[in-house]
C-alpha cells in the first residue's frame, strides 16, 4: 500500500496514515474471505427454524444442533457419495504421485535429446482445459464400456493432476545432490536400492506436496465426475451434492451441512500440512 | 523401443542402469499416450465427422464451418474473454494488495496467510453454495444488507438477471482464486533483499518511489505469469459457471467450455462438440506458444 509522498504531513503523521491504510486493507480483505465461510458454518450448525426466524437471516448462532446432518444421512445418499469420492481420490492421488516420482527422477537423472520438448509437453498439458479433454475421454470410455467405473474416473483425474505433480518432482529431484547417490554406489548399493533408501527419504517434502496437490484436484473435481459418472450410485460427493439445491426436501441447512463435511479433508490438510503446501506454491502455481 | 532409447541416452552418471531408466520413463510415456495423445487425436479425428459415435459420415471441416458461421459463436467467445479478463484482473489486484499488506509485517500477518489457504482448498461446489446463499434474492444476506442500508428497494436475483449474472459469477470466481496470486506474489516479495529498501530510504526515496523502482520490477515476471496462466485457466473454466448459472440467463454467461458441454450432452452432437473442443485446443496452443516464447520456463529444467 503505497501512498503518494506529500509535503502536507510531517514524516510521522505520514507513517501513521500508512499503517492505518494497511490495517484497513487487511480488514476489508479478511472480511471478504471470512464472511462466506462463517455463514456456511453457522447455517450448517443451527436448525433452519433458527436461521430464518423473523423473516431475516440470523447469523448469531442461538443453538448448535446436529439436525441438518441427521436429515442429510436419513434422506440422501451422502454416505455413498462420500465413499465414491474417497475411493477415486485415494486412487488418483497414489497413481499421480507414483508416476510423478518415477518420471521426475528419470527426467532429472538421465540426459537425452528432447528434454526441453518433454518439459514443454508437461507444461502444456498443465495448462490444458479439463473440459476439452473430458469430451473425447467420455466417448472413449463409452466405447470401451468404462463409463461409471472407478477406474475411468481415476484415470481422468490423474490426467488433470499428473502434469503438475510430474513438474514438481522434476524440480524437486534437481535439489537432491547426485553426490548422495554416488556415495551409496561406492559402497556397492545398486541404483535401485539407492533411489529407495537414499533419494526418496530426502525427497519426502517434494512428494508430500505433490500428493497434496493430486488430492486437492481429485477432491475438488466436479467436471470429470459429472461427465464420467452418470449413475446415481456412482456419483461423487460434489456431483451428488450439486443436485441438492434442486430438491424440495433439501434446504439451506442441509446444503451447508454437506458443504461443511466436504470441507473437512481440505481443512485438515491446511491445518497439518501447511508447510508443504506453501512449498508447492513456491515451485509453481496450483490449479 | 528400449534399445533405441538406450542408444540416445548419455547417462549423466557412473552407470545408468537400463532397468531404472525403463521404470522411470515407461509409466510417463504410457500415461501421456493413454490420457493425452490418444484422446486429443481422437477428438480431432471425430471433429471431421457427422454423428461420429454411432454412424460416422465424413464431412471434412463442415463442423468447424457451421460452428464459426453461427452468429452466437462470437458472443460465446466474447463471454469467455470477458470472464477470463475480469476474474484474472480482479484476482491479481486483490492478491497483490493483500500480499503487499502481509509483507509489511503487520500484526496477524501469519494468520492472514493461513486464512488465504481456505478459499483455495475449499471445493468449488462449496464456494458456489456460499455465494448462491449470499446472493439469493429471497434470503440472501447481501440483499438484506443493501435493503437495510437503503441502497435498493427490490431484492436483486443476482445469478438470474441479465445485468448481474456475469458480475455474480466473476465475484464467486475471484473469491476462490485471489489466493493463487496472493501466494505467488508473497513468495516473490519475501525474496527481495531488504537492503535495497534500506538504501533507498537512506537516499531519501519516498515509499511510492521505492515501490515503483524496487518492488514492481521484482514482481513483473510473476505478474505476467499469473495473468497468462490464470487467464488461460479461467478462459477454460467450466465448473463455476455451470454450477451457478448453467450459462444463463439467455446464454448471458455461456462461455466456450459451457457451450462444448451443451453441444455434447444437451444437443448430443459430438461432431460439433469435438470441433469446438478442437478450436479451443488451437486457441490454447496459441496461448502456450506465447507463454513459451515469453518465459522459456523449460530452461528451469535444463542442465
Amino acid at each position: 500500500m503505497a501512498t503518494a509522498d506529500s509535503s502536507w504531513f510531517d514524516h510521522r503523521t505520514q507513517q501513521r496514515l500508512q499503517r492505518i491504510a494497511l490495517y484497513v486493507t487487511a480488514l476489508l480483505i479478511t472480511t471478504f474471505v471470512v464472511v462466506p465461510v462463517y455463514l456456511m458454518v453457522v447455517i450448517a450448525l443451527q436448525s433452519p427454524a433458527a436461521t430464518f426466524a423473523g423473516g431475516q437471516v440470523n447469523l448469531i448462532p442461538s443453538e448448535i444442533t446436529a439436525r441438518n446432518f441427521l436429515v442429510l444421512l436419513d434422506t440422501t445418499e451422502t454416505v455413498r457419495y462420500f465413499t465414491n469420492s474417497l475411493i477415486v481420490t485415494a486412487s488418483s492421488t497414489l497413481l499421480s504421485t507414483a508416476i510423478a516420482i518415477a518420471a521426475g527422477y528419470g527426467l532429472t537423472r538421465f540426459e537425452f535429446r528432447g528434454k526441453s520438448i518433454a518439459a514443454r509437453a508437461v507444461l502444456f498439458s498443465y495448462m490444458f482445459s479439463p473440459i476439452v479433454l473430458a469430451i473425447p475421454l467420455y466417448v472413449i470410455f463409452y466405447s470401451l464400456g468404462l463409463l461409471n467405473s472407478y477406474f475411468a474416473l481415476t484415470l481422468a483425474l490423474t490426467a488433470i493432476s499428473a502434469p503438475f505433480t510430474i513438474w514438481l518432482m522434476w524440480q524437486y529431484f534437481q535439489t537432491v545432490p547426485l553426490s548422495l547417490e554416488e556415495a551409496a554406489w561406492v559402497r556397492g548399493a545398486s541404483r535401485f536400492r539407492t533411489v529407495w533408501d537414499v533419494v526418496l527419504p530426502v525427497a519426502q517434502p517434494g512428494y508430500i506436496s505433490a500428493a497434496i496437490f493430486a488430492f486437492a484436484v481429485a477432491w475438488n473435481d466436479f467436471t470429470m465426475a459429472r461427465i464420467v459418472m452418470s449413475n446415481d450410485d456412482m456419483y461423487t460427493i460434489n456431483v451428488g451434492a450439486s443436485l441438492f439445491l434442486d430438491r424440495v426436501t433439501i434446504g439451506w441447512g442441509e446444503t451447508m451441512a454437506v458443504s461443511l463435511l466436504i470441507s473437512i479433508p481440505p481443512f485438515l490438510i491446511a491445518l497439518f500440512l501447511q508447510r508443504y503446501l506453501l512449498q508447492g506454491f513456491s515451485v509453481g502455481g496450483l490449479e | 523401443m528400449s534399445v533405441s532409447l538406450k542408444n540416445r541416452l548419455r547417462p549423466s552418471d557412473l552407470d545408468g542402469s537400463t532397468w531404472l531408466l525403463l521404470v522411470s520413463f515407461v509409466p510417463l510415456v504410457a500415461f501421456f499416450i493413454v490420457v493425452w495423445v490418444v484422446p486429443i487425436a481422437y477428438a480431432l479425428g471425430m471433429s471431421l465427422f457427422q454423428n461420429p459415435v454411432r454412424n460416422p459420415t465424413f464431412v471434412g471441416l463442415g463442423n468447424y464451418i457451421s460452428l464459426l458461421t453461427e452468429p452466437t459463436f462470437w458472443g460465446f467467445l466474447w463471454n469467455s474473454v470477458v470472464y477470463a479478463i475480469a476474474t484474472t484482473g480482479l484476482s491479481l489486484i486483490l492478491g497483490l494488495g493483500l500480499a503487499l499488506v502481509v509483507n509489511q509485517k503487520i500484526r496477524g500477518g501469519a494468520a492472514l496467510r493461513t486464512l488465504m489457504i481456505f478459499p483455495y482448498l475449499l471445493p468449488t461446489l462449496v464456494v458456489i453454495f456460499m455465494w448462491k446463499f449470499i446472493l439469493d434474492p429471497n434470503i440472501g444476506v447481501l440483499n438484506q444488507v443493501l435493503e437495510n442500508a437503503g441502497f435498493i428497494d427490490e431484492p436483486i436475483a443476482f445469478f438470474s438477471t441479465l445485468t448481474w449474472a456475469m458480475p455474480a459469477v466473476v465475484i464467486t470466481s475471484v473469491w476462490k482464486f485471489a489466493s493463487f496470486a496472493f501466494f505467488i506474489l508473497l513468495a516473490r516479495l519475501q525474496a527481495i533483499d531488504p537492503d535495497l529498501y534500506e538504501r533507498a530510504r537512506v537516499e531519501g526515496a519516498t515509499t511510492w518511489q521505492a515501490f515503483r523502482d524496487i518492488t514492481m520490477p521484482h514482481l513483473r515476471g510473476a505478474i505476467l505469469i499469473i495473468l497468462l496462466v490464470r487467464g488461460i485457466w479461467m478462459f477454460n473454466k467450466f465448473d463455476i459457471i455451470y454450477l451457478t448459472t448453467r450459462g444463463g440467463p439467455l446464454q448471458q454467461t455461456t462461455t466456450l467450455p459451457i457451450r462444448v458441454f451443451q453441444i455434447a450432452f444437451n444437443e448430443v452432437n459430438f461432431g460439433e462438440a469435438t470441433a469446438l473442443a478442437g478450436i479451443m485446443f488451437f486457441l490454447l496452443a496459441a496461448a502456450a506458444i506465447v507463454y513459451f516464447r515469453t518465459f522459456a520456463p523449460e530452461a528451469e529444467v535444463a542442465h
Side-chain angles (χ1 to χ4, degrees):
Chain A
M1 291 285 2
T3 47
D5 176 44
S6 71
S7 47
W8 298 34
F9 308 119
D10 60 278
H11 192 67
R12 178 167 297 186
T13 318
Q14 204 189 318
Q15 286 252 306
R16 196 167 297 159
L17 281 173
Q18 262 174 27
R19 297 302 287 178
I20 292 170
L22 276 182
Y23 279 103
V24 167
T25 312
L27 190 69
L28 283 176
I29 299 181
T30 308
T31 309
F32 180 61
V33 172
V34 169
V35 164
V37 182
Y38 175 81
L39 280 172
M40 171 180 80
V41 175
V42 169
I43 295 167
L45 294 177
Q46 61 179 9
S47 70
T51 302
F52 300 115
Q56 292 248 319
V57 182
N58 303 299
L59 299 177
I60 311 294
S62 49
E63 49 157 25
I64 288 188
T65 167
R67 178 213 167 266
N68 297 325
F69 297 92
L70 295 172
V71 172
L72 212 56
L73 294 179
D74 283 343
T75 61
T76 68
E77 290 292 302
T78 299
V79 176
R80 168 97 212 168
Y81 301 152
F82 261 107
T83 312
N84 292 337
S85 276
L86 285 169
I87 291 169
V88 291
T89 302
S91 318
S92 171
T93 304
L94 280 173
L95 183 60
S96 187
T97 311
I99 290 174
I101 290 174
Y105 182 82
L107 290 164
T108 306
R109 287 290 185 257
F110 293 103
E111 280 305 326
F112 57 97
R113 255 181 261 152
K115 210 168 187 175
S116 73
I117 293 174
R120 286 184 175 203
V122 170
L123 278 167
F124 179 61
S125 48
Y126 174 44
M127 291 192 287
F128 210 80
S129 167
I131 191 86
V132 169
L133 189 67
I135 303 282
L137 279 181
Y138 173 84
V139 178
I140 292 169
F141 290 145
Y142 166 83
S143 328
L144 299 173
L146 287 171
L147 288 176
N148 288 302
S149 69
Y150 293 132
F151 173 78
L153 186 53
T154 299
L155 215 57
L157 294 174
T158 309
I160 306 290
S161 66
F164 183 75
T165 55
I166 291 168
W167 183 256
L168 197 87
M169 289 318 293
W170 191 349
Q171 299 282 310
Y172 204 87
F173 278 124
Q174 286 174 45
T175 65
V176 179
L178 192 61
S179 54
L180 272 181
E181 288 175 73
E182 283 165 346
W185 300 334
V186 168
R187 293 196 184 85
S190 71
R191 285 208 60 163
F192 243 119
R193 274 294 305 245
T194 309
V195 173
W196 196 254
D197 293 341
V198 178
V199 182
L200 280 185
V202 177
Q204 194 203 31
Y207 66 75
I208 287 182
S209 48
I212 292 175
F213 177 80
F215 171 90
V217 165
W219 191 255
N220 287 323
D221 166 77
F222 171 82
T223 309
M224 284 295 181
R226 169 73 181 74
I227 288 171
V228 175
M229 306 290 218
S230 53
N231 287 352
D232 180 80
D233 65 336
M234 292 303 280
Y235 284 165
T236 60
I237 188 64
N238 284 325
V239 176
S242 75
L243 302 169
F244 286 179
L245 276 187
D246 308 331
R247 283 164 63 169
V248 184
T249 48
I250 303 270
W252 278 110
E254 295 84 0
T255 304
M256 292 305 182
V258 86
S259 300
L260 198 60
L261 292 176
I262 304 174
S263 309
I264 288 172
F267 174 79
L268 293 177
I269 286 182
L271 205 64
F272 295 110
L273 299 171
Q274 200 194 120
R275 196 162 51 92
Y276 298 110
L277 208 69
L278 294 171
Q279 199 164 35
F281 261 108
S282 60
V283 174
L286 303 172
E287 183 23 322
Chain B
M1 157 119 193
S2 66
V3 177
S4 67
L5 251 182
K6 197 170 180 248
N7 292 341
R8 279 265 183 94
L9 291 156
R10 288 174 287 106
S12 57
D13 45 58
L14 308 178
D15 100 81
S17 90
T18 322
W19 182 221
L20 190 69
L21 188 81
L22 287 178
V23 168
S24 58
F25 282 109
V26 168
L28 174 70
V29 173
F31 173 80
F32 253 83
I33 288 172
V34 169
V35 298
W36 288 97
V37 180
V38 169
I40 291 169
Y42 201 78
L44 291 175
M46 275 198 297
S47 71
L48 303 175
F49 290 86
Q50 200 172 8
N51 204 350
V53 185
R54 294 258 164 82
N55 180 17
T57 326
F58 186 78
V59 290
L61 294 177
N63 288 321
Y64 290 88
I65 291 163
S66 65
L67 264 179
L68 294 172
T69 50
E70 267 175 28
T72 49
F73 171 85
W74 303 98
F76 301 145
L77 180 65
W78 173 245
N79 286 343
S80 309
V81 171
V82 168
Y83 175 74
I85 290 176
T87 50
T88 307
L90 282 169
S91 302
L92 182 69
I93 291 167
L94 267 181
L96 179 61
L98 193 62
L100 289 169
V101 167
V102 170
N103 198 42
Q104 288 293 321
K105 314 262 184 298
I106 60 164
R107 273 191 217 116
L112 259 181
R113 200 183 66 172
T114 307
L115 195 70
M116 287 301 279
I117 291 179
F118 284 92
Y120 198 85
L121 278 181
L122 285 179
T124 302
L125 180 73
V126 172
V127 176
I128 275 145
F129 281 156
M130 289 172 180
W131 285 95
K132 276 218 150 177
F133 182 83
I134 292 170
L135 301 176
D136 190 274
N138 304 314
I139 48 164
V141 182
L142 187 63
N143 275 309
Q144 198 170 297
V145 169
L146 291 175
E147 280 186 64
N148 291 345
F151 286 118
I152 53 172
D153 306 325
E154 286 289 301
I156 302 168
F158 287 98
F159 283 117
S160 44
T161 51
L162 288 175
T163 320
W164 288 105
M166 184 59 96
V169 175
V170 167
I171 290 226
T172 307
S173 310
V174 168
W175 191 87
K176 181 152 170 55
F177 291 111
S179 48
F180 170 85
F182 166 75
F183 283 115
I184 291 178
L185 292 171
L186 185 63
R188 287 289 166 103
L189 281 172
Q190 289 175 338
I192 300 176
D193 181 2
D195 287 356
L196 290 175
Y197 291 106
E198 188 51 35
R199 225 172 301 156
R201 212 180 52 82
V202 168
E203 286 171 16
T206 63
T207 314
W208 166 244
Q209 286 168 332
F211 175 77
R212 190 190 58 199
D213 298 336
I214 301 170
T215 313
M216 276 324 270
H218 278 92
L219 293 182
R220 189 163 295 135
I223 287 175
L224 278 174
I225 286 188
I226 291 166
L227 285 176
L228 196 69
V229 176
R230 180 47 65 198
I232 291 171
W233 279 332
M234 295 321 271
F235 186 88
N236 289 302
K237 199 104 209 109
F238 168 78
D239 49 8
I240 292 189
I241 303 178
Y242 178 83
L243 284 164
T244 47
T245 64
R246 294 278 193 279
L250 297 177
Q251 308 226 307
Q252 191 71 13
T253 54
T254 299
T255 56
L256 294 185
I258 298 286
R259 190 63 197 139
V260 170
F261 185 90
Q262 289 171 352
I263 298 174
F265 299 104
N266 304 349
E267 300 164 22
V268 199
N269 180 345
F270 276 89
E272 268 196 26
T274 46
L276 183 48
I279 291 171
M280 289 172 70
F281 172 78
F282 292 123
L283 287 172
L284 203 70
I289 288 168
V290 172
Y291 173 60
F292 292 135
R293 283 274 160 82
T294 317
F295 296 103
E298 72 277 11
E300 286 183 54
V301 294
H303 293 282

